[in-house]
Amino acid sequence: MSEQAGSESVARPFLYVVVCAAGVAEDVGRLIDAARERGWEVGVLATPVAMGGFFDVAAVEARTGRPIRSAWRTPGDPRPFPAPDAVVVAPATFNTINKWAAGLADTLAVATLCEACGLGVPVAVLPCVADALAAHPAYGESLARLRGMGVRLGDPYTGGAGEDGGRPEFGWEKALDLLERG
């Protein structure tokens, strides 16, 4: 979409949101709304597992006005999204973080992340990893590698119950803050 400024149109920057299979993904609409309020157009890519019920696909497509991408397009098919000006990965799971850091581009979502880093596109990540998985040595090494690649990492979110017994809020807008800090 573009906004009209007199007779000229001004394109809004385009943000890819990569959604992984974590319970908090059900609220990804909050990130989309916040991004749109900050002037971004948004396209969503999801891991194949995330597409299996971790969020409301129809609601997200209605919010963005675009199909969610989870599989590669065939040769000759038009590109459904423009090139990204930035990428947010939220929630970012143990599996996606480790595959991305290792360069294992076996899904469209991870391949897109690998490519974005190679192109110098800013990437912000909100990890959502349980403490037991975060203790695995590969995870720490993967985070270090991603930092070395210039990826902007948010604070980890374990999803564990807080002192009051409730789950803490997942900081969706922190990803946008990480991009703006640049």
Side-chain angles (χ1 to χ4, degrees), residues 12 15 17 26-44 59-65 172-173 176 180:
R12 294 171 62 170
L15 177 69
V17 172
E26 68 187 358
D27 291 327
V28 70
R30 292 176 58 193
L31 172 60
I32 295 165
D33 292 345
R36 292 177 56 85
E37 287 170 12
R38 293 188 191 194
W40 294 94
E41 282 297 320
V42 179
V44 175
V60 167
E61 289 180 341
R63 257 189 173 103
T64 64
W172 293 104
E173 288 193 48
L176 300 171
E180 291 170 1

Side-chain angles (χ1 to χ4, degrees), residues 98 100-103 139-151 153:
N98 286 323
W100 174 21
Y139 180 69
E141 293 167 8
S142 293
L143 292 177
R145 176 174 270 182
L146 293 175
R147 273 189 206 95
M149 294 164 47
V151 172
L153 294 166

